[in-house]
Structure formats: structure tokens, C-alpha cells
Amino acid sequence: MVRRFATVLVAALGALTLSACEPNRFVSGWIPYWEANDGQVAVRDPDASTLFSEISPMWYGLGGNGTIVALTGTSTLDAAVAAARQRGVPVIPSIYDSTSAGVMSSVIANPTLRAQHINAIVSLVMDKGFDGIDLDYEVWAFSQRSEWDTIKPNWITFVTSLANALHARGKVLSMTVPPVWSGGTRGYWVYAQPELAPVVDRIRLMVYDWSVSAPGPVSPMFWVDSVIAYSSSIAPPEKLQLGVPTYGRHWWSPADDADVCPDADLDGVEALRMDEIAAYRNVPGRTTVRDSTGELRITWTEEVTGFSTDQPTAPPGFVPVSMVPAYLVPADGSPLQADRITPPGGIVSCAVEHELYVSDATTVRMHAKAALDAGWSGIVVWALGYETADMYQKLATLDAGRPNGDPVVTLDPIVAPTASPALVAVSGRSYDPEFDLPTGVRIVVTNTSSSAVVWDRTITANSSREAQGDLPAGIGVHHGFARNVRLTTGSYRVCATTLGYDATDPQPTVCRNVTVP
């Protein structure tokens, strides 16, 4: 399966060329460690990768006392990171709450453990040279709903402290959360979207798993629209990404509960990847429609024959041993054990109904268009490696409106102080026009008389420039920076260098002079 999918996807992407000259970056996605090979295929393709705004390998989990542990070997992670960097795509790994709900809650509630956890995350990002981190902490929210009032303020404190630590180093913070909808009256308010929207750089909404235990759509458009409406009302749109499934579910059950059916379990559900649905729909006798939810719905009925202990009267003659549960087959070598026996019960037939809902490339495009029409950053796919090649072809027909071009940095005029020592305000803007993610910016202040560097910091340019109105459309307004630098009497040169995401791009520097009397 893995080799076949990778080969087909590469071939298809190669045959249907996207625009490699003009990146159109509004697609993000997770690469789970169990899809390490398939998950990299599109990222490695020079055409499909122009759609990616960032990728998030899912390789790390929460350890004891707030430590970070690798969920599996890192050789394939290194390969995924290398593939992204080769294409100039930012790498923002996800940390998954791989322990119990109680452990996660205790870590964010305890100041000592919380600080240890933040230090572990920052160290991971800096040591590996990642562009930031994505928090995918779910388990405590789903299993500790009665404690949300206690968890929420601890969550806000944790995320805010982590954001400050990462932003002080030129890195970004993303959080992946279940959604809120119906105007804020339904959903997972514990994640504090309104409070944390000014703090984080990405909010990823997991808008999938609407139907799990009973047949129905995984991510219906009416739900998507409701989530978009709420989050758009409480967060800057360029910070928002719509979580999109590249999977579906297949349910089956007896058509009539009154029927006597085989003992085999005829009630069930299974998850299916997007790249597996062709085998289900291209079969005579099955009906495939795209309903109002936007997903494919595939239905069919089959006749199932097998042994049932509920059969009131066994039919005349013997029953093949192969059709009888093992516990009913004599084990004592009786004359009836050869290949046919007469156990209690008999062979019955039963009609079983099948119903399958799944996203295909058209579904994903519908979701992406809804997000882009609302001014959102775009979509984040769960999961890379499940998709089909035509998904990228359909997404390429949308336009995120990124201006493109080389990274840009400017410095605002510096107001000379009237006395020493003084706090000198250094501000400006820094952005990479291919992306709506904030960039890092390095600020260096040099004493021009001694040539000594007196201040050298790399920070994240993520403050609003809405009031200045000097940012191009398509990337949002959160690409400003502002710092106060304490200086004594002397002449200084203040320089800012933008740190774009594509290593092949220039990293421009601008400078201004200031004198402190």
C-alpha cells in the first residue's frame, strides 16, 4: 500500500504540473509517524509543495514531569524535515498529549512542572532548528469535561508563557484545538480561543468527527460554516486554519433487526483513507452521491450467509465445519466431526446495509474555499499520506492571494532621545510575502565609535501593523515588531534583518542611526 500510493501520487503530480513559479501557500498538514513515507510524497514534489504554508510532523509526546519524548524513531522525521527545508517550507512539529488526562492537567497546573515543560519545548525547537511548535493537547479536554472551569485558566497561563518564550527567540506557536460553533454556545470553550487568539500565531480547528458511532458525515459543510462564523468573530482570520479530514467511515448493520442473522458481528464501523475509497465506489450495485454535506455517500446492500445459533430449526443434513463456530465443533473425534456436523442451530441468510461517508478531492476543495473566502490562512490536512494526487490539482485552482516575492524588512524612523540613559523605541515590519506566518527578525545595535555590539536579539515580528496600513493584502497585519533598547550617551547604528522561511531567499537588512546626548 505505501509504495503503491507513493508511486501513484508522484506520477500523477508529475503529469499534472502546478505553478512552481508562483507559490500559493494555503495548505498545511500533519505527517503522523505511522505515515512517515507517504506523508512526505507531496512535500517532496516541487509543484505540490508550492501550496504548503508549513508542515507539522507528529513525532513528539508528553513524558513524565513535563518532558518531551519521541514517539518513535527520528530517522524518518529527519527525512521529512529535510524534504520541507529543501522546498522552503516551514517545519512546526506537533506535540501530542501521549499520556493520561491527569498527567497533562497536573503539568499545566503546577508552576514547577509547567516551567519544566515550557523549557523542554523551547529546547526542542532551538536544538532542532524548528520554526516553532504546534500544541495538540486533546486528552484532558475530552475526558475531564467536569474540570474545564479549573483547566481553562491553567491552559491560558501555560500557552501565554510558552508563546512569550518562543517569540523571544524568533519562533512561532500554533495550537490545535477542537472547535466551537453555534455562535459560541456549543463546543470546546475550555481552549479559550478568544483569550489566546492575541497570543498564538496559529489556531487550527479540528473540524472533523461529527459522526463517529452512527452513520453520517465526518465533516459536514453546515458544521464547517458554523465553526468558521464563530472563530472569525473572535480571532484574526490570518491566524486561523480549518482542519480538513482526508478520511471517512464505513458503517454496516442488518437491514432488519427482526431478521435472524449469522453469529458473525454484523454491526460495525471502520475508518477509511481517501486513497482507499476507489475500491468501494467502483463496484456494480453500489450507489455514490455527493449530498448536501459535501462528502461522498456510498451505499449498498449485500446478502450475508453464515451459521446462527439462533436458528430455531436446523435444516436437514449436516453443516460444513468451516461455517460453524469452533466451540460447537466436537473435539472428541466423534463420527460427525469429519467435515460436516449437526450442531444446535443452522445456516441463515441476512441482508446487511452498508453506508460510507468520505471526503474526496472535491470535498477538500469545498472546505478550503470556505476558509479562504472567510479570509482564513487556509486548511490543515489530517493526515498527509491519506490523500489522493488529484486533491492538489483541485486545490491549485484556488488563490490564497499571497503577494509572493523576497522577504521584506523596514525600520520606522527612530526618535532621538533628549537625555541619557534612554529607552530607544525600535519598531518596523518584517515578513516573507509567500507566507502569512510571522517571521523572525534579528535586531542588532552597534556603538559606531567602538564598533561594539550593545544589543543583539532575535524576536518574532508578530505585532499588529493595522494602524500603519503598510502591509500587502493576503498575509494579514501581524508582521510588526517593537522593542525598547536602553542606550547611554553615544552614537549607534540600529539594524534589522528579516529571517524568511526559504533558505534560498535573501535575508535583507535595513539600518538607521540614532544619537543619545
Side-chain angles (χ1 to χ4, degrees):
M1 171 65 78
V2 170
R3 290 181 180 175
R4 179 196 62 77
F5 173 70
T7 300
V8 170
L9 184 56
V10 168
L13 289 174
L16 299 171
T17 303
L18 307 177
S19 173
C21 298
E22 292 293 339
N24 185 23
R25 302 189 184 279
F26 66 93
V27 180
S28 180
W30 291 280
I31 302 178
Y33 61 85
W34 59 87
E35 288 296 333
N37 293 319
D38 281 6
Q40 300 177 44
V41 172
V43 179
R44 291 183 178 277
D45 185 270
D47 292 321
S49 61
T50 62
L51 291 171
F52 282 100
S53 57
E54 72 259 23
I55 63 161
S56 292
M58 185 170 281
W59 252 261
Y60 297 104
L62 174 67
N65 295 325
T67 58
I68 303 297
V69 296
L71 300 175
T72 186
T74 58
S75 60
T76 46
L77 167 63
D78 294 339
V81 172
R85 286 177 174 160
Q86 182 183 10
R87 303 299 181 198
V89 177
V91 179
I92 305 175
S94 290
I95 300 177
Y96 176 67
D97 47 353
S98 53
T99 58
S100 68
V103 171
M104 186 68 250
S105 296
S106 65
V107 167
I108 67 171
N110 183 294
T112 300
L113 294 180
R114 184 170 63 238
Q116 290 178 186
H117 191 40
I118 290 171
N119 289 338
I121 293 174
V122 171
S123 295
L124 173 68
V125 171
M126 301 307 294
D127 292 347
K128 296 290 187 179
F130 295 140
D131 297 292
I133 208 74
D134 173 56
L135 301 175
D136 185 16
Y137 293 171
E138 305 175 35
V139 63
W140 50 264
F142 289 108
S143 61
Q144 294 182 283
R145 188 175 291 260
S146 63
E147 300 178 24
W148 279 9
D149 285 328
T150 301
I151 290 172
K152 181 179 176 179
N154 294 332
W155 171 250
I156 292 173
T157 298
F158 163 62
V159 174
T160 301
S161 298
L162 177 60
N164 291 338
L166 290 172
H167 292 156
R169 294 163 173 82
K171 305 297 183 178
V172 297
L173 177 61
S174 166
M175 70 176 191
T176 294
V177 299
V180 175
W181 63 98
S182 294
T185 62
R186 299 183 63 188
Y188 298 85
W189 53 264
V190 65
Y191 284 98
Q193 288 187 51
E195 293 86 349
L196 291 175
V199 172
V200 300
D201 304 295
R202 281 276 191 258
I203 301 178
R204 295 167 160 182
L205 286 307
M206 297 185 291
V207 193
Y208 36 78
D209 285 350
W210 177 262
S211 304
V212 177
S213 58
V218 176
S219 183
M221 284 303 301
F222 64 81
W223 187 34
V224 169
D225 292 338
S226 186
V227 171
I228 288 176
Y230 171 74
S231 290
S232 294
S233 72
I234 53 89
E238 76 269 17
K239 292 188 176 186
L240 298 170
Q241 287 182 334
L242 181 69
V244 176
T246 49
Y247 68 90
R249 287 192 174 88
H250 168 210
W251 290 266
W252 60 93
S253 61
D256 188 339
D257 291 337
D259 285 349
V260 177
C261 294
D263 287 347
D265 185 3
L266 299 183
D267 286 283
V269 59
E270 64 176 345
L272 295 174
R273 297 159 38 136
M274 182 191 290
D275 65 325
E276 294 175 326
I277 64 174
Y280 284 80
R281 65 184 301 188
N282 298 329
V283 177
R286 298 183 180 181
T287 300
T288 301
V289 298
R290 188 180 308 282
D291 65 11
S292 60
T293 69
E295 296 181 7
L296 291 181
R297 180 174 178 263
I298 305 172
T299 56
W300 71 96
T301 301
E302 67 172 336
E303 195 77 8
V304 176
T305 299
F307 186 86
S308 172
T309 52
D310 292 330
Q311 173 70 3
T313 303
F318 297 138
V319 176
V321 172
S322 62
M323 299 187 73
V324 178
Y327 69 89
L328 293 178
V329 178
D332 60 358
S334 65
L336 299 181
Q337 63 79 41
D339 62 349
R340 292 173 179 270
I341 63 173
T342 305
I347 303 301
V348 297
S349 294
C350 177
V352 175
E353 293 181 339
H354 295 258
E355 191 167 1
L356 191 156
Y357 282 86
V358 68
S359 295
D360 67 349
T362 298
T363 311
V364 173
R365 187 188 185 279
M366 291 172 64
H367 287 211
K369 185 177 187 304
L372 292 177
D373 286 349
W376 285 29
S377 172
I379 61 172
V380 53
V381 174
W382 178 260
L384 296 181
Y386 296 174
E387 76 274 35
T388 52
D390 63 332
M391 185 183 85
Y392 296 102
Q393 306 307 317
K394 290 185 180 296
L395 290 175
T397 63
L398 299 174
D399 183 7
R402 306 282 182 262
N404 289 317
D406 292 333
V408 174
V409 63
T410 62
L411 272 173
D412 298 329
I414 299 175
V415 178
T418 59
S420 172
L423 286 177
V424 176
V426 177
S427 63
R429 57 184 181 143
S430 171
Y431 62 94
D432 190 328
E434 292 182 14
F435 303 89
D436 58 2
L437 270 176
T439 66
V441 57
R442 184 183 180 189
I443 302 173
V444 179
V445 181
T446 305
N447 186 304
T448 56
S449 298
S450 64
S451 298
V453 174
V454 299
W455 206 81
D456 188 345
R457 299 284 191 279
T458 296
I459 59 175
T460 305
N462 63 348
S463 61
S464 175
R465 296 281 292 187
E466 186 171 15
Q468 291 82 354
D470 57 0
L471 288 165
I475 63 169
V477 300
H478 290 86
H479 298 278
F481 60 89
R483 286 295 185 276
N484 291 325
V485 182
R486 182 173 292 277
L487 300 175
T488 58
T489 299
S491 296
Y492 300 89
R493 189 159 181 79
V494 180
C495 295
T497 301
T498 190
L499 307 177
Y501 289 109
D502 190 341
T504 64
D505 284 340
Q507 295 185 341
T509 299
V510 294
C511 300
R512 288 185 181 272
N513 295 324
V514 61
T515 299
V516 179

